[in-house]
Amino acid sequence: MQPQTLFDMSDRGKRCTRFPESDVPVSEPSDLLPANQLRDKPPLLPRVSEPEIARHFARLAQDNYNVDAGFYPLGSCTMKYNPKVQELVAAMPGWALLHPDTPSECVQGALRVMWELEQWLAEIGGMDVASLQPPAGASGEFTCLRMFKAYHDSRGETHRNRILVPDTAHGTNPASATRCGYQATALKSADDGRIDLGELESALSENVAAVMLTNPNTLGLFETDILQVADLVHSVGGLLYCDGANMNAIMGYARPGDMGFDAMHFNLHKTFATPHGGGGPGAGPVAVKTHLASFLPVPRVVEQGDKFDWDWKQPQSIGKVHGYYGNFLIAVRAYAYILSLGSDGLRRASEAAVLNANYVMEALAEAYDLPYPGPCMHECVLSAQTIAKETGVRAVDIAKRLIDYGLHPPTMYFPLTVKEALMIEPTETESKATLDCFIEAMTQIASEAHINPDLLHSAPHSTRIGRLDEVKAARELVLRWQKER
Amino acid sequence: MTYIPQSDKDKAEMLAALGIESVEEFFSQIPSVLRANAMPAIPGPLTESELVRHMHELAGENHSLQDLVCFAGGGIYDRFIPSIVRDVVSRPEFVTPYTPYQAEVSQGTLQAMFEYQTVVCELTAMEVANASLYDGATSLAEAVSLSSRVTHKHRALLSRALSPSARRVVQTHCTASGIETGEVPYIEETGQTDLGALENILDDEVCCVALQQPNYFGIVEDMASAAGAAHNVGALLISAVEPISLGVLKPPGNYGADIAVGEGQPLGLVPGFGGPVLGLFACNRELMRQMPGRVVGQTVDSEGRVGYCLTLQAREQHIRRDKATSNICTNEALCALAAGVYLAALGPDGLREVTRLSIHKAHYLRDQLAEQSENVQQRFGGAFVNEFVLRVSQPVCSLLESLCEQGFLIGPSLGREYPELDDCLLVAVTEQRTKQDIEGLVAALSS
């Protein structure tokens, strides 16, 4: 059956939520507001009943793969299990029903959670101070680059206009650099997939404001020369930024601050198991070394005696990056997660994540190309290049065929340096049985590519909707429901 | 607690398959000097029962809207959230997936976002909407940035009666990207943006004029005149809307706004201490290719069945990298879902009821205060919807605290952001407030 939209079900006389009659005197809006500011006709919102809404979204829910239901090995996304207790905690009225403009004496519990989480993140990252204000990873990147700019400006070094970013970096890195008024330059990686020290050295100059790195990088490889990299960047007066997307690989084993990074962001929705929500909300707190602390966003949470308060008086602050204090309810979830694991639990999470990734990589190294031999950290990147050459089956076909096996595809075609890339991040919350099932499916698909490539070209076959015509979507741009199109 | 489902046997088998003794071997590539100090000094671990007790205790140190009768506003409002909204956004099928890159297994999220885009277009009377940004403030910053890109001009004019925190966020972005900002004053008496002053500082270097409707003081602006003034010099008009007010107020698309943004929290989201909330973003079709953020489009599959996928992706960071229209990746999809369900639950009639109830109750409060309280005065004379500024005779800070003790939350106070209004605070009334609540507040303010 073709699924309907809420608008197709809409009809006069159907309603869900009603509000009580007014218990105060009523007058017409036109008596209280200028007539020319009033709406002529109501918005065409759907007129539907509660049972219809419930069933509509129950049906849509069935069309969503999700990490509660199955394996979700999206590389760089850390799709780990989202503990149920987080949802219970975040729904407590003492957090959920807090108005952001409540006097600080009346929100001491909230300020304590923010203050403590900032301390813990700084400690996990080997940094000195943190801010929870950035609402997502990309916002965290922008926040830190913006702080870098303020830092350089404060030292009279306004000429620094370039940011160096490896060719394996997440797209947000160069995009954040541009957003901050910088020019992003790509650094070609070495043959082993890591930073090429020679390349870095020749790109570094007095005009470089910062270098942005992910460690381990997006190939799942630890940047073993990181200490030399930090020295090189600092020797020309540049700053070193850590994209913390891959923190799940190294907790308890290495801290970006100790590696020489000046600032970093965390993705609470990756490393600290808060849910992804089908695209958000996440949270992207930042942590920095002391020399950058005065540039952090306002307001800061401060401890005064045995009380907590807001501090707005930070003359060097870059200002605000979110209308309020960031995604507080996501921070509450991450706080609960960190507290339930403790330092030993975080370390064991990283260990299991790395073990799982290596187990998968090793098992698939024959059926697929392995452009950068391991060991890997928490994720591995395979390539379908040989399969593509021999059979015409591409990474996207393999990814779509996995859906027929009841599994979510890995990240495809990223990093950009690997042709026909399939980037796999199992995370620590998957059992050996699940990994074996994935390995078997991937191996089977590799052989299907040779026997019956068309089966893969036309996959998936098991979903209500087959492969979508993205070209048509981009050409016709139907971006909203319309009557009788 | 850990969430690792491997047995000892599993782990042993995996290590054997890899031919290693211990998982620590994988970490030996990390320089030993780094490994030495890497264990973070943090508390825990707690069992689930300990954790829940601890979080209950900490939550108990907060005065939430369960304890306080809320008359606070400034962008975040205490509105009724229908049960169906909470139910839908609690479903793990919506809570636990990633961004819908793999459309065939994400039709639920994609169709919900398509429906969300549709209701945002309807509410604002704009032609296209994206699938959400972080919050109202960052939506405004993105709108200013878009204006500068399409007009190739680098001066933005913002009303002083725009949310101060949104202006701060805009400033953080503009300083970085070389956009100069100017401020349009408000009229002392009415609280409206001074459009005469706007005319005086407008010139053809201006990329956009941004006003809030109703503005931060709750006052209704003359948006059509602002749009005309902006368009006269080739600038765009950005309208920052409070979505519930659009049940009664003229929508941005009907007065010539080029971009509509807004804080979507009133559309079915808990206040959550200010986050996560929801950045509304809608614009005219001609600006569509410059929009920030995810956009969902309708298409068909190989069998001709209607389906949905992310589209216009050539604008986005994962494709265009340094040339992208924005750096945004993760957005507020689950909050957008809540807003979509909320607006469906209300429908046009429910929305109208909520808006009208809020207007009536706010005006009742205003009238009662005028009659009974000598300690407070309405600060501005302009027409308002459900929020207005009070001038008080005692220090604002101690008043807020003493009201909290009596069980009322009002504000925010305006002194920090408006030194000239340091004896003023905002008061907002939603459909949630009863006559008794209002009379209680009047009594508290009159004593």
Side-chain angles (χ1 to χ4, degrees), chain A residues 361-380:
Chain A
M361 183 185 76
E362 183 75 15
L364 293 176
E366 255 180 57
Y368 294 86
D369 303 319
L370 185 61
Y372 300 99
C376 64
M377 298 300 287
H378 68 308
E379 65 189 0
C380 63

Side-chain angles (χ1 to χ4, degrees), chain A residues 43-256:
Chain A
L44 283 175
L45 303 174
R47 295 173 187 275
V48 283
S49 63
E50 180 170 324
E52 288 170 297
I53 300 174
R55 199 161 284 170
H56 176 70
F57 286 101
R59 187 192 59 70
L60 289 187
Q62 287 172 7
D63 277 349
N64 261 6
Y65 195 94
N66 60 93
V67 76
D68 243 22
F71 188 46
Y72 217 125
L74 267 183
S76 254
C77 302
T78 315
M79 293 298 288
K80 60 168 82 172
Y81 173 72
N82 310 130
K84 297 299 172 193
V85 68
Q86 293 189 7
E87 298 310 304
L88 179 132
V89 163
M92 290 175 178
W95 312 115
L97 300 185
L98 278 191
H99 193 283
D101 291 302
T102 310
S104 54
E105 303 73 42
C106 302
V107 289
Q108 287 295 306
L111 296 182
R112 174 180 290 279
V113 160
M114 294 182 74
W115 192 83
E116 288 186 346
L117 182 57
E118 287 180 359
Q119 309 292 311
W120 301 347
L121 291 176
E123 176 64 22
I124 292 165
M127 296 287 174
D128 298 316
V129 207
S131 164
L132 303 180
Q133 198 174 116
S139 172
E141 293 172 15
F142 170 80
T143 302
C144 285
L145 294 183
R146 183 68 187 71
M147 290 168 66
F148 288 2
K149 199 180 191 94
Y151 169 83
H152 288 309
D153 286 355
S154 76
R155 294 156 55 92
E157 299 188 0
T158 52
H159 58 281
R160 295 184 183 268
N161 60 359
R162 289 175 63 214
I163 301 276
L164 306 181
V165 181
D167 53 10
T168 54
H170 297 117
T172 50
N173 291 184
S176 297
T178 301
R179 205 8 106 82
C180 227
Y182 286 121
Q183 191 193 324
T185 307
L187 281 178
K188 198 172 172 311
S189 298
D191 291 343
D192 69 351
R194 295 180 170 86
I195 287 282
D196 185 328
L197 286 178
E199 183 83 14
L200 172 66
E201 209 168 350
S202 60
L204 280 171
S205 75
E206 299 288 318
N207 289 328
V208 170
V211 176
M212 300 177 85
L213 294 183
T214 311
N215 196 15
N217 68 23
T218 61
L219 293 163
L221 303 171
F222 192 83
E223 295 286 359
T224 44
D225 290 334
I226 187 63
L227 294 167
Q228 291 95 304
V229 169
D231 284 345
L232 281 173
V233 174
H234 291 148
S235 71
V236 299
L239 295 168
L240 191 58
Y241 182 74
C242 177
D243 173 339
N246 290 348
M247 276 303 288
N248 209 43
I250 56 172
M251 287 185 293
Y253 278 97
R255 306 192 304 169

Side-chain angles (χ1 to χ4, degrees), chain A residues 426-455:
Chain A
T427 84
E428 74 279 12
T429 61
E430 298 300 334
S431 67
K432 178 171 178 291
T434 300
L435 301 181
D436 286 338
C437 168
F438 174 71
I439 290 163
E440 200 185 314
M442 286 289 285
T443 311
Q444 186 77 31
I445 290 168
S447 79
E448 284 175 353
H450 291 89
I451 301 160
N452 188 0
D454 283 345
L455 183 69

Side-chain angles (χ1 to χ4, degrees), chain B residues 213-294:
Chain B
Q213 176 77 323
N215 70 23
Y216 189 66
F217 306 134
I219 306 293
V220 177
E221 299 273 19
D222 180 359
M223 297 302 281
S225 299
H231 293 159
N232 273 342
V233 296
L236 305 188
L237 181 81
I238 301 170
S239 175
V241 296
E242 192 287 300
I244 295 293
S245 70
L246 294 177
V248 163
L249 287 186
K250 188 170 279 195
N254 289 2
Y255 50 71
D258 301 281
I259 306 172
V261 298
E263 175 46 68
Q265 180 273 335
L267 303 174
L269 300 176
V270 293
F273 210 39
V277 285
L278 169 66
L280 302 171
F281 193 101
C283 62
N284 287 335
R285 216 171 158 87
E286 63 199 56
L287 301 176
M288 170 175 72
R289 286 172 200 280
Q290 285 295 327
M291 256 198 309
R294 312 276 185 211

Side-chain angles (χ1 to χ4, degrees), chain A residues 2 4-6 15-17 19 23-24 26-28 33 36-37 39 44-47 56 58 60-61 63-68 72 77 82-83 93-99 101 105-107 109-110 112 120 123 135-136 138 146 169 171-172 175-176 178-181 194 224 249 253-254 258 275-281 312 318 320-325 327-329 335 339-341 343 347 356 358 377 400 403 428-429 431-432 465-469 474 477-481, chain B residues 1 3 5-6 13-14 24 26-27 29 34-35 38-41 43 45-46 54 58-59 62-66 73-74 76 82 91-99 102-109 111 114-115 117-118 122-123 134-135 138 142 145 165 169 172 175-176 221-222 246 248-250 270-276 285 289 297-302 306 308 311 317 321-322 325 327 330-334 345 347-350 353-354 356 360-361 384 401 416 435:
Chain A
Q2 192 72 21
Q4 288 192 316
T5 66
L6 285 168
R15 285 201 62 174
C16 176
T17 307
F19 292 87
D23 55 0
V24 301
V26 171
S27 38
E28 276 308 301
L33 298 166
N36 64 349
Q37 303 290 357
R39 184 162 197 141
L44 283 175
L45 303 174
R47 295 173 187 275
H56 176 70
L60 289 187
D63 277 349
N64 261 6
Y65 195 94
N66 60 93
V67 76
D68 243 22
Y72 217 125
C77 302
N82 310 130
W95 312 115
L97 300 185
L98 278 191
H99 193 283
D101 291 302
E105 303 73 42
C106 302
V107 289
R112 174 180 290 279
W120 301 347
E123 176 64 22
R146 183 68 187 71
T172 50
S176 297
T178 301
R179 205 8 106 82
C180 227
R194 295 180 170 86
T224 44
Y253 278 97
D258 299 338
H276 281 74
W312 287 85
I318 59 165
K320 282 180 72 61
V321 296
H322 183 265
Y324 296 93
Y325 320 120
N327 283 346
F328 172 76
L329 293 180
Y335 177 96
L339 204 47
S340 60
L341 265 67
S343 54
R347 181 178 158 111
N356 283 358
N358 277 283
M377 298 300 287
K400 299 296 184 193
I403 294 170
E428 74 279 12
T429 61
S431 67
K432 178 171 178 291
I465 290 283
R467 218 182 279 197
L468 288 151
D469 187 345
L477 289 172
V478 179
L479 306 182
R480 56 156 295 168
W481 180 88
Chain B
M1 294 281 293
Y3 301 94
Q6 282 147 358
E13 284 176 10
M14 291 167 76
E24 291 196 18
F26 294 123
F27 296 89
Q29 56 183 312
L34 294 178
R35 276 179 282 144
M39 274 299 264
L46 298 190
H54 176 69
L58 279 180
N62 298 323
H63 294 263
S64 76
L65 303 190
Q66 207 175 35
I76 302 287
R91 283 182 171 271
E93 298 92 338
F94 290 117
V95 174
T96 74
Y98 197 70
T99 300
Q102 295 288 347
E104 299 86 349
V105 286
S106 311
Q107 285 298 299
T109 293
Q111 184 173 333
F114 182 77
E115 294 178 354
Q117 289 170 193
T118 307
E122 278 300 325
L123 197 59
Y134 307 133
D135 69 346
T138 52
E142 289 283 3
S145 167
S165 66
V169 173
T172 305
T175 307
E221 299 273 19
D222 180 359
L246 294 177
V248 163
L249 287 186
K250 188 170 279 195
V270 293
F273 210 39
R285 216 171 158 87
R289 286 172 200 280
Q298 185 182 301
T299 183
V300 294
D301 74 356
S302 42
V306 171
Y308 305 89
T311 193
Q317 48 77 27
R321 300 177 77 82
D322 58 320
T325 57
N327 65 340
T330 290
N331 60 13
E332 310 291 293
L334 198 65
D349 299 328
E353 286 168 12
V354 167
R356 290 171 74 114
H360 296 144
K361 292 176 184 230
F384 66 96
E401 281 167 30
R416 189 183 62 239
K435 186 163 181 266

Side-chain angles (χ1 to χ4, degrees), chain B residues 59-395:
Chain B
E61 294 176 24
N62 298 323
H63 294 263
S64 76
L65 303 190
Q66 207 175 35
D67 322 316
L68 299 169
V69 181
C70 181
F71 288 92
I76 302 287
Y77 301 91
D78 175 27
R79 297 223 172 257
F80 179 73
I81 303 176
S83 318
I84 187 74
V85 176
R86 294 181 199 274
D87 180 74
V88 171
V89 299
S90 304
R91 283 182 171 271
E93 298 92 338
F94 290 117
V95 174
T96 74
Y98 197 70
T99 300
Y101 288 134
Q102 295 288 347
E104 299 86 349
V105 286
S106 311
Q107 285 298 299
T109 293
L110 286 162
Q111 184 173 333
M113 290 304 104
F114 182 77
E115 294 178 354
Y116 164 80
Q117 289 170 193
T118 307
V119 292
V120 173
C121 287
E122 278 300 325
L123 197 59
T124 56
M126 302 299 287
E127 290 168 336
V128 290
N130 76 7
S132 81
L133 297 173
Y134 307 133
D135 69 346
T138 52
S139 286
L140 180 64
E142 289 283 3
V144 170
S145 167
L146 187 161
S147 307
S148 179
R149 283 199 302 279
V150 298
T151 60
H152 306 287
K153 299 172 185 178
H154 309 290
R155 190 156 154 258
L157 297 181
L158 309 175
S159 166
R160 187 164 169 78
L162 244 167
S163 154
S165 66
R167 282 185 286 129
R168 282 180 184 254
V169 173
V170 170
Q171 192 60 54
T172 305
H173 280 260
C174 285
T175 307
S177 49
I179 301 172
E180 188 196 326
T181 56
E183 193 173 272
V184 188
Y186 59 85
I187 299 170
E188 258 305 282
E189 297 75 34
T190 63
Q192 281 184 308
T193 300
D194 187 340
L195 298 182
L198 170 66
E199 295 274 5
N200 292 338
I201 52 174
L202 258 181
D203 59 35
D204 56 11
E205 297 299 308
V206 173
C207 61
C208 65
V209 174
L211 266 67
Q212 183 171 325
Q213 176 77 323
N215 70 23
Y216 189 66
F217 306 134
I219 306 293
V220 177
E221 299 273 19
D222 180 359
M223 297 302 281
S225 299
H231 293 159
N232 273 342
V233 296
L236 305 188
L237 181 81
I238 301 170
S239 175
V241 296
E242 192 287 300
I244 295 293
S245 70
L246 294 177
V248 163
L249 287 186
K250 188 170 279 195
N254 289 2
Y255 50 71
D258 301 281
I259 306 172
V261 298
E263 175 46 68
Q265 180 273 335
L267 303 174
L269 300 176
V270 293
F273 210 39
V277 285
L278 169 66
L280 302 171
F281 193 101
C283 62
N284 287 335
R285 216 171 158 87
E286 63 199 56
L287 301 176
M288 170 175 72
R289 286 172 200 280
Q290 285 295 327
M291 256 198 309
R294 312 276 185 211
V295 179
V296 175
Q298 185 182 301
T299 183
V300 294
D301 74 356
S302 42
E303 306 288 317
R305 291 173 290 221
V306 171
Y308 305 89
C309 63
L310 294 174
T311 193
L312 284 171
Q313 290 193 80
R315 302 163 298 118
E316 291 194 69
Q317 48 77 27
H318 61 285
I319 309 283
R320 285 296 290 287
R321 300 177 77 82
D322 58 320
K323 304 282 193 301
T325 57
S326 168
N327 65 340
I328 191 170
C329 179
T330 290
N331 60 13
E332 310 291 293
L334 198 65
C335 303
L337 174 68
V341 181
Y342 176 85
L343 287 170
L346 264 62
D349 299 328
L351 178 67
R352 188 165 159 277
E353 286 168 12
V354 167
T355 319
R356 290 171 74 114
L357 282 169
S358 307
I359 291 174
H360 296 144
K361 292 176 184 230
H363 285 80
Y364 182 69
L365 172 64
R366 193 268 314 262
D367 294 344
Q368 292 297 303
L369 284 173
E371 265 177 42
Q372 298 182 31
S373 178
E374 289 174 1
N375 305 333
V376 299
Q377 279 179 320
Q378 189 183 357
R379 174 63 182 80
F380 297 114
F384 66 96
V385 178
N386 71 312
E387 191 166 15
F388 52 93
V389 174
L390 283 180
R391 171 186 273 164
V392 297
S393 54
Q394 72 185 98

